[in-house]
């Protein structure tokens, strides 16, 4: 059996099962927290669902707006669609076909197409001339076709299908094809990176903590920050655009704090003229230990930006603005607690960060004006001065300090037309 | 209500069962929190956070050990997450000899539980955590080193210093009493 120090045993025996009592207010707090969390989860689900629905709706509206600008096809090009379907489907169509019979070369009238709906859907390419003739005849109302010199008629196919296939096969195989589907809608991919200036707010939530806020302000100095983003954009012919993607932002700070470490005592003897010790001086020195670290605040966001684009000569201009939804927030480094103890902010089980900082942040706002210049037919160089405004605190609501960061920066990057 | 029924009820998010768990164990767990936290307020925060974790994860309790032991581990882990790494940065590895102060262990036995808790709460953060884990929870230095991500020698030295600091506090109390 392991040796236990007598002090250890006394403390263990006395405190192991001691009941200190816990107030009902703690139970109330637990209940309140769990209720709030449930509400938050429901709220988040509703929020992201409505966001996705809104996004889908915007895309659908943009596409439907663009489809209205598509020029109608030349008259008679389509047999299918409204023109064909407007023909009386029950009209009896007759085709004269020479059928060898015992009665000689007499013609016989066969009813072959009582309804388009009952027609099969595949056809061999060599049948096309015949079908085209039939279709033309149907359209013109001429239902008597002499097919005496044609091969025997296979099962009749959907005329609409034939002409849809034919139309597709006759389309030129060039990038212009895509414009036929939705002319004017343009997809772009932006790659941006920017150095930023950070505006930090450190405010005590309670006046009692204002001194702590001041000490934090003094011990944490902003050094640099940057952001990088990849955004997919959809722009209409009229210049309205919608952009979304991922954006990573990192804020770097320098933490520095000196703590009194150990007291060094030096005793200096005093001597008289004969060299005898007459007394002593005691010199007490406190050595200072300087703790420094680079603090990093990293956030991953999804911006949802609405914008407007216009051109002036070769130069393009884009105004973008919209909310930024945070996906994750993490911290690294060190900070002081209200008790002026240095604690770690790095992620992980032992981090103080878990209790101090939020894991995901509230909505922020983005605004930027981009100027672009073409560097190749599909690629543009882009410069975008921007503001990232994050009024909400990155700390937990229960923390002593409200800590928020907003940024201004100059993004430089490329826009690639897809 | 048996413990099994209470646990089953908690899994089904039954508030009465949750309150029953709180009523049965919160007092003892508060003692654990008070041992790790420097002040009552922080202790209450830890207790609250720990019980939220208990209710969130109660379906993971495998009935292998005691339910109380399982809750105690959650409380200790919560406390460690909140307060650990403090005070270890400056700790050196060399173990300086600390002479035992002339206090009979029986002196401690005359102290009430609140006084013992008070003595612990006045220890520096690092000493307090290691003393709690080693002396009261019964973890080895190796286990403490792994839990706190420190060296075994650091754990040993913190424990020795903690005991010395406790002895000094008791001596000071005795002087005041005289």
């Amino acid at each position: 059996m392991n040796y236990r120090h007598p002090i250890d045993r006394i403390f263990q025996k006395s405190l192991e099962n001691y009941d200190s009592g816990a107030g009902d207010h703690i139970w109330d707090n637990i209940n309140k927290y769990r209720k709030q969390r449930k509400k938050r989860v429901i709220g988040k689900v509703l929020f992201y669902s409505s966001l996705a629905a809104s996004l889908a709706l915007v895309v659908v509206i943009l596409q439907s707006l663009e489809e209205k600008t598509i020029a109608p096809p030349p008259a008679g090009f389509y047999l299918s669609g409204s023109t064909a379907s407007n023909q009386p489907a029950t009209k009896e169509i007759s085709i004269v076909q020479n059928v060898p019979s015992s009665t000689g070369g007499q013609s016989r009238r066969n009813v072959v197409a009582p309804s388009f709906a009952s027609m099969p859907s595949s056809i061999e390419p060599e049948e096309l001339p015949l079908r085209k003739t039939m279709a033309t005849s149907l359209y013109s109302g001429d239902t008597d076709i002499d097919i005496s010199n044609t091969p025997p008629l296979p099962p009749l196919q959907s005329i609409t299908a034939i002409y849809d296939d034919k139309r597709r096969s006759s389309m030129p195989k060039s990038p212009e094809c895509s414009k036929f589907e939705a002319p004017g809608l343009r997809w772009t991919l932006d790659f941006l990176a920017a150095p930023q200036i950070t505006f930090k707010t450190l405010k005590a939530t309670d006046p009692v903590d204002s001194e702590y806020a001041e000490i934090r302000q003094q011990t944490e100095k902003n050094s640099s920050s940057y952001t990088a983003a990849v955004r997919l954009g959809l722009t209409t012919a009229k210049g309205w655009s919608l952009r979304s993607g991922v954006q990573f932002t990192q804020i770097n700070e320098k933490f520095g704090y000196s703590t009194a470490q150990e007291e060094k005592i030096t005793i200096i003897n005093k001597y008289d003229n004969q060299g005898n010790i007459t007394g002593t001086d005691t010199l007490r020195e406190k050595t200072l230990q300087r703790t420094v670290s680079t603090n990093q605040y990293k956030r991953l966001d999804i911006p949802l930006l609405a914008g407007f684009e216009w051109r002036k000569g070769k130069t393009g201009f884009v105004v973008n603005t919209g909310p930024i939804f945070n996906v994750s927030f993490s911290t690294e480094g060190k900070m002081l607690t209200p008790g002026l103890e240095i604690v770690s902010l790095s992620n992980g089980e032992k981090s103080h960060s878990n209790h101090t900082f939020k894991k995901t942040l509230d909505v922020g706002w983005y605004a930027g004006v981009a100027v672009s210049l073409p560097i190749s037919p599909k690629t543009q160089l882009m410069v975008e001065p921007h503001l990232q405004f994050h009024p909400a605190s990155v700390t937990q609501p229960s923390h002593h300090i409200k800590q928020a960061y907003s940024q201004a920066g100059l993004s430089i990057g490329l826009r690639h037309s897809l | 209500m048996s413990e099994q029924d209470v646990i089953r009820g908690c899994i089904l998010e039954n508030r009465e069962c949750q309150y029953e768990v709180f009523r049965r164990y919160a007092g003892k767990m508060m003692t654990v929190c008070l041992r790790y936290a420097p002040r009552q307020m922080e202790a209450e925060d830890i207790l609250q956070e720990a019980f939220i974790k208990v209710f969130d994860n109660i379906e993971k309790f495998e009935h292998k050990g005691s339910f109380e032991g399982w809750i105690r581990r959650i409380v200790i882990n919560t406390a460690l997450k909140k307060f650990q790494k403090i005070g270890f940065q400056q700790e050196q590895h060399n173990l300086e000899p600390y002479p035992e102060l002339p206090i009979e262990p029986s002196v401690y036995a005359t102290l009430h539980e609140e006084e013992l808790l008070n003595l612990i709460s006045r220890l520096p953060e690092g000493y307090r955590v290691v003393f709690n884990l080693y002396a009261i929870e019964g973890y080895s230095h190796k286990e403490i080193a792994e839990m706190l991500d420190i060296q075994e020698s650091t754990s040993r030295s913190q424990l020795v210093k903690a005991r010395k600091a406790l002895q000094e506090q008791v001596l000071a109390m005795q002087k005041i009493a005289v």
Side-chain angles (χ1 to χ4, degrees), chain A residues 79-101:
Chain A
L79 190 64
S80 59
S82 58
T83 311
S85 60
N86 286 342
Q87 300 301 315
T90 52
K91 185 177 178 181
E92 196 175 88
I93 305 163
S94 301
I95 295 175
V96 181
Q97 186 177 15
N98 275 349
V99 180
S101 70

Side-chain angles (χ1 to χ4, degrees), chain B residues 121-137:
Chain B
S121 72
R122 276 190 265 158
L123 288 175
E125 200 80 53
Y127 298 1
R128 187 169 63 238
V129 170
V130 173
F131 182 77
N132 272 317
L133 290 172
Y134 185 89
I136 303 173
E137 256 66 73

Side-chain angles (χ1 to χ4, degrees), chain B residues 32-74:
Chain B
V32 177
C33 297
L34 284 168
R35 283 197 278 114
Y36 285 89
R39 287 171 290 271
Q40 173 90 14
M41 202 174 73
E42 278 94 340
E44 288 183 0
D45 282 352
I46 297 168
L47 188 72
Q48 185 181 318
E49 205 177 318
F51 266 91
I52 288 166
K53 283 183 193 168
V54 166
F55 296 138
D56 284 349
N57 297 289
I58 201 159
E59 74 279 355
K60 292 179 190 161
F61 174 59
E62 291 173 342
H63 302 273
K64 282 180 182 166
S66 75
F67 185 47
E68 184 183 327
W70 184 73
I71 296 176
R72 186 182 287 264
R73 274 202 303 281
I74 290 178

Side-chain angles (χ1 to χ4, degrees), chain A residues 4 8 18 20 37 350, chain B residues 31 56 84 114 134 163:
Chain A
R4 307 287 301 175
D8 298 358
Y18 179 64
S20 299
R37 195 177 53 180
K350 294 155 193 166
Chain B
T31 307
D56 284 349
Q84 71 194 183
E114 283 88 357
Y134 185 89
R163 283 191 194 127

Side-chain angles (χ1 to χ4, degrees), chain A residues 349-407:
Chain A
E349 282 205 343
K350 294 155 193 166
S351 175
H352 199 80
S353 168
N354 299 334
H355 314 289
T356 310
F357 293 100
K358 293 174 182 170
K359 292 280 170 209
T360 52
L361 307 177
D362 297 330
V363 178
W365 298 94
Y366 183 95
V369 181
V371 179
S372 62
L373 278 169
I375 54 173
S376 81
K378 281 198 149 196
T379 310
Q380 293 167 306
L381 179 70
M382 204 165 59
V383 178
E384 185 175 293
H386 65 266
L387 284 171
Q388 263 177 254
F389 181 55
H390 303 284
S393 178
V394 297
T395 54
Q396 300 277 11
S398 57
H399 190 60
H400 308 263
I401 298 290
K402 186 190 164 195
Q403 186 175 344
Y405 295 94
S406 290
Q407 290 94 24

